[in-house]
Amino acid sequence: MSVTMKHVQSFIERCMMAVGTQLHHARSLAEVLVEGDHRGHFSHGLNRMDMYVKDIKSGICAKDGDPVLEKESAATALVDGRNLLGPVVGNFCMNLAMKKAKEAGIGWVVAHGSNHYGIAGYYAMQALKENMIGMSFTNTSPLVVPTRGKECTLGTNPISVAAPANDGDSFVLDMATSAVALGKVELHDRRGDPIPEGWGCDAQGKLTSDPKKVLNGGGLVPIGGSEATGGYKGYGLGMMVEVFCGILAGAKYSEHVRTWKVTDRVADLGQCFVAINPENFAPGFSDRMSDLLSIQRGLDPADPHTPVLAAGDPERTNMKKCDEMGGIPYHINVVNHMNECAKTIGVSKLLPCDNLISN
Amino acid sequence: MSVTMKHVQSFIERCMMAVGTQLHHARSLAEVLVEGDHRGHFSHGLNRMDMYVKDIKSGICAKDGDPVLEKESAATALVDGRNLLGPVVGNFCMNLAMKKAKEAGIGWVVAHGSNHYGIAGYYAMQALKENMIGMSFTNTSPLVVPTRGKECTLGTNPISVAAPANDGDSFVLDMATSAVALGKVELHDRRGDPIPEGWGCDAQGKLTSDPKKVLNGGGLVPIGGSEATGGYKGYGLGMMVEVFCGILAGAKYSEHVRTWKVTDRVADLGQCFVAINPENFAPGFSDRMSDLLSIQRGLDPADPHTPVLAAGDPERTNMKKCDEMGGIPYHINVVNHMNECAKTIGVSKLLPCDNLISN
């Protein structure tokens, strides 16, 4: 079944407000989650709302206040996220980065005291509206085992870079620095399917195709998989994100970040937001971007059924599909689970019948 | 046999000057190449000197002049490399980026009209001397096949990020965005060994373990290998580097960059140099960096014979080895080849006997 984006948005807003979130904070969170689902990143959408509800309800995440600018230059800033919802911190920082990029050519803003902020791409893409390059990085709870190790000491630490081309087209890279997301391993486990070699390792640090071993004492591995196939590069990229986030911002980092789904203490995540104004560099940026995208998309594919894409294209296809069906397609289990969650906090359901769209 | 770094440095200088290079340009190039060998990246050291000699001799690379600052703000700059040797352009830009970072917290400098600049890490590491984070990126001749494609439309487009820790320690990521360097495939081919699945593909875009197929009509694949193991992420990172380099700088990009080793026209490479001053962010940066490095290095390894490392550690080991033996160990074939090259341009040999160190 599909649900209109408007209805998902207002459902998340009323759930968050029911537990005491300020309207504009709830709205920021809802926008990021809806965008996650719209782009097809269901692991970072409505599916995760209960985590945010729980964080606000338990008081482990702050429901009131504003991020605070701690240190500033023409092109840089350090922000204290005041333990507010990730999207509240993210929007504050990304707006600041864009403002600085307009004036100084670049804005590089880092925040400590933040929380999960949804898809990294949401913030990077804000810069597209101003014809600028946007970047966003965050550290996360340890789920990734460094090359040669057997313990998780790095998060999936995503990198997002968005760059504007002509006529609304764009390049949008939004990727974890692990080979895959944890959700993909969980999905294979539920289905009883093996995972491809190079996704995760067991508790002894050995690559495995058994998802159960990855989930029970093992961990995800960095992009590149084994050391022989370049996994040390993915490990290095995960560390790079940590340098830009936890280390530069003075937030928690590496194994000091709290365990995934254990909310016994504040998250204090580190995040980094960058905007770059192409006008400060060579004229004709968006023309060259369009040409670069055309070159790749126009390539003769190895398999005629799978065309060569550019980063952001799979998401574009998903958005088009949603728009054509008039809403976001959710699995009935997700809808039921969210309605259960809504019930416990006394909020009306996601789906009054007249909003149902069959597909 | 080993040769002292001083002797390699002066040999490269006199070879480059013999074909008309200015002393300070020759010196810049020699420093980068020697550093490449010292760090163990032999594919980017003395081994490549004849390429630079040829470029200057043929006039396809400029031997005279200085890079020109075309556009500037407090934190950004666009530079015309004037077709000078890559290290001349690279040093100019990196120094500028560091100067800006001291004043504005960050310096983001891009150059067009550049040439091969040796190891990317050389420039990123300059920032360590000022206790800053350094970054460097360059596009290169197309050698990498995008995910789902079968033609090379991206270079190995390296990413380098260096960050200072306490007591001279540091994190130095210096990696191509291809799974491996072309040189590794060539080496396996010469030895008659198969390559691991995930290094390269054949002319039909299919992953292969036959190095000959990669070298003849096929290509390298991005970090991550196949689409299933996350190769699209490596492809996206290669594109990101192209955005920062060719696209932002208005240089040649993607398939427009000249073919590897074909020097029928100027290279017009795009390069990007960044310095970030940690003092503009949270206090205690280098303490946290040291702790982050300690966490990873202190991990219990999966195999007791291969300790967990941080980016830059293998190079550190190689430098120590060189320093202990009093010079850089070269294969006799490399020395002979370079002496042949020197002979044709009327320059004295690399190795008068009294500089020989046996190992």
Side-chain angles (χ1 to χ4, degrees):
Chain A
M1 65 180 71
S2 303
V3 189
T4 65
M5 287 168 66
K6 217 179 94 188
H7 283 97
V8 187
Q9 174 80 27
S10 70
F11 175 74
I12 298 174
E13 284 177 15
R14 64 181 183 267
C15 286
M16 293 304 293
M17 287 171 67
V19 290
T21 316
Q22 290 180 38
L23 170 61
H24 70 285
H25 290 186
R27 183 161 293 163
S28 294
L29 176 69
E31 280 167 1
V32 179
L33 297 187
V34 170
E35 185 70 4
D37 285 337
H38 193 204
R39 297 179 70 79
H41 296 296
F42 291 104
S43 56
H44 288 67
L46 174 63
N47 188 35
R48 280 221 185 143
M49 186 195 69
D50 52 345
M51 184 182 85
Y52 297 97
V53 166
K54 203 179 126 205
D55 282 358
I56 290 286
K57 216 171 149 190
S58 71
I60 206 74
C61 178
K63 60 183 88 169
D64 244 328
D66 292 295
V68 170
L69 189 51
E70 285 192 326
K71 208 186 255 189
E72 194 178 18
S73 78
T76 65
L78 173 66
V79 169
D80 178 354
R82 300 295 287 271
N83 194 29
L84 292 160
L85 286 166
V88 174
V89 181
N91 287 341
F92 181 90
C93 292
M94 195 65 210
N95 287 333
L96 189 57
M98 292 193 291
K99 192 166 156 268
K100 288 180 181 298
K102 269 186 211 164
E103 289 158 15
I106 185 168
W108 188 288
V109 178
V110 301
H112 61 93
S114 193
N115 282 282
H116 293 288
Y117 73 175
I119 53 169
Y122 180 84
Y123 310 95
M125 284 188 296
Q126 299 307 311
L128 299 178
K129 297 174 189 166
E130 306 282 346
N131 285 313
M132 296 200 271
I133 299 170
M135 294 199 266
S136 153
F137 312 85
T138 182
N139 64 9
T140 60
S141 299
L143 288 171
V144 177
V145 177
T147 306
R148 298 186 173 186
K150 49 188 178 182
E151 271 167 67
C152 297
T153 56
L154 286 172
T156 53
N157 296 4
I159 295 174
S160 180
V161 180
N166 290 334
D167 306 319
D169 195 9
S170 58
F171 165 81
V172 181
L173 182 67
D174 187 3
M175 53 174 265
T177 50
S178 53
V180 292
L182 189 69
K184 281 202 185 179
V185 179
E186 289 171 337
L187 202 65
H188 279 66
D189 182 40
R190 278 201 294 273
R191 285 186 192 144
D193 289 339
I195 53 171
E197 183 97 351
W199 281 19
C201 66
D202 63 19
Q204 281 72 48
K206 269 192 68 173
L207 285 185
T208 178
S209 53
D210 181 353
K212 284 201 193 316
K213 289 188 177 168
V214 174
L215 299 170
N216 300 308
L220 299 172
V221 297
I223 312 169
S226 72
E227 186 168 352
T229 54
Y232 55 94
K233 296 186 177 191
Y235 163 40
L237 290 166
M239 287 280 279
M240 176 192 82
V241 172
E242 195 56 280
V243 172
F244 295 166
C245 295
I247 307 298
L248 206 50
K252 289 277 179 288
Y253 55 88
S254 186
E255 64 180 17
H256 305 313
V257 180
R258 72 183 184 195
T259 304
W260 178 231
K261 287 188 176 165
V262 177
T263 51
D264 52 342
R265 51 197 168 102
V266 301
D268 189 14
L269 297 184
Q271 291 163 349
C272 177
F273 305 87
V274 184
I276 300 170
N277 192 350
E279 290 191 2
N280 283 57
F281 301 95
F285 179 86
S286 62
D287 294 340
R288 287 189 297 279
M289 267 314 301
S290 286
D291 185 41
L292 177 64
L293 294 172
S294 295
I295 289 169
Q296 315 304 337
R297 290 171 182 154
L299 285 174
D300 202 15
D303 171 353
H305 302 294
T306 53
V308 180
L309 304 175
D313 288 353
E315 289 85 353
R316 205 167 274 120
T317 303
N318 200 78
M319 287 188 282
K320 195 161 168 268
K321 206 179 83 184
C322 288
D323 297 348
E324 280 167 5
M325 67 171 73
I328 296 168
Y330 289 111
H331 194 281
I332 186 70
N333 292 355
V334 172
V335 175
N336 288 342
H337 179 69
M338 289 307 140
N339 281 337
E340 280 302 310
C341 173
K343 202 172 160 189
T344 63
I345 51 176
V347 164
S348 61
K349 283 188 174 184
L350 174 60
L351 285 183
C353 282
D354 55 353
N355 297 323
L356 274 174
I357 299 161
S358 62
N359 66 319
Chain B
M1 66 180 73
S2 303
V3 190
T4 65
M5 288 169 65
K6 216 178 97 188
H7 282 97
V8 187
Q9 173 79 28
S10 70
F11 175 74
I12 297 174
E13 284 177 15
R14 62 182 185 267
C15 286
M16 293 304 293
M17 287 171 69
V19 291
T21 316
Q22 290 180 40
L23 170 62
H24 70 285
H25 290 187
R27 183 160 294 163
S28 294
L29 176 68
E31 280 167 0
V32 180
L33 298 187
V34 170
E35 186 69 5
D37 285 338
H38 193 203
R39 296 179 71 77
H41 297 296
F42 291 104
S43 56
H44 288 68
L46 174 64
N47 188 35
R48 280 221 185 141
M49 185 194 70
D50 51 346
M51 184 182 86
Y52 298 97
V53 166
K54 204 179 126 204
D55 282 357
I56 290 286
K57 216 171 150 189
S58 71
I60 207 72
C61 177
K63 62 183 86 170
D64 244 329
D66 292 296
V68 171
L69 190 50
E70 286 192 328
K71 209 185 256 188
E72 195 178 17
S73 77
T76 67
L78 174 66
V79 169
D80 178 355
R82 301 293 289 270
N83 193 29
L84 292 160
L85 286 167
V88 175
V89 181
N91 286 342
F92 180 90
C93 293
M94 195 65 211
N95 286 333
L96 190 57
M98 291 192 293
K99 193 165 155 268
K100 288 179 181 298
K102 268 186 213 165
E103 289 158 16
I106 184 168
W108 188 287
V109 177
V110 301
H112 61 92
S114 192
N115 282 282
H116 293 287
Y117 72 176
I119 52 168
Y122 179 84
Y123 309 95
M125 283 187 295
Q126 298 308 310
L128 298 179
K129 297 174 190 167
E130 305 284 346
N131 284 313
M132 296 199 271
I133 299 171
M135 294 199 267
S136 154
F137 312 86
T138 181
N139 65 9
T140 60
S141 298
L143 288 171
V144 176
V145 177
T147 307
R148 297 187 173 185
K150 48 190 179 181
E151 271 167 69
C152 297
T153 57
L154 286 173
T156 52
N157 297 5
I159 295 173
S160 180
V161 180
N166 290 335
D167 306 319
D169 195 8
S170 57
F171 166 80
V172 182
L173 181 67
D174 187 3
M175 54 172 265
T177 50
S178 52
V180 292
L182 189 69
K184 280 204 185 177
V185 178
E186 289 171 338
L187 202 66
H188 278 68
D189 182 41
R190 278 200 296 273
R191 284 186 192 146
D193 289 339
I195 53 171
E197 184 95 353
W199 281 19
C201 65
D202 63 19
Q204 282 71 49
K206 269 191 67 171
L207 285 186
T208 178
S209 54
D210 181 352
K212 283 201 194 316
K213 289 188 178 167
V214 174
L215 300 170
N216 299 309
L220 299 173
V221 297
I223 313 168
S226 72
E227 188 170 351
T229 53
Y232 55 94
K233 297 186 178 188
Y235 163 40
L237 290 167
M239 288 281 278
M240 176 192 81
V241 172
E242 194 57 281
V243 171
F244 294 164
C245 294
I247 307 298
L248 205 51
K252 291 276 180 289
Y253 55 87
S254 184
E255 64 180 17
H256 306 313
V257 180
R258 73 184 184 196
T259 304
W260 178 233
K261 286 189 176 164
V262 177
T263 52
D264 52 342
R265 52 197 167 99
V266 301
D268 189 14
L269 297 185
Q271 290 163 350
C272 177
F273 305 87
V274 183
I276 300 170
N277 192 349
E279 290 191 0
N280 283 59
F281 302 96
F285 179 86
S286 62
D287 293 339
R288 286 188 297 277
M289 269 312 302
S290 285
D291 185 41
L292 177 64
L293 295 171
S294 294
I295 290 170
Q296 316 305 334
R297 290 171 181 154
L299 285 174
D300 201 14
D303 171 352
H305 302 294
T306 54
V308 180
L309 303 175
D313 288 353
E315 289 85 352
R316 204 166 277 122
T317 303
N318 201 78
M319 288 188 283
K320 194 161 169 264
K321 207 178 82 183
C322 289
D323 297 348
E324 279 166 6
M325 67 171 70
I328 296 168
Y330 289 111
H331 194 280
I332 185 73
N333 292 354
V334 172
V335 175
N336 289 341
H337 179 70
M338 290 304 141
N339 281 337
E340 281 302 311
C341 173
K343 202 172 160 187
T344 64
I345 51 175
V347 163
S348 62
K349 284 187 174 184
L350 174 60
L351 285 182
C353 283
D354 55 352
N355 297 324
L356 274 174
I357 299 161
S358 62
N359 66 315

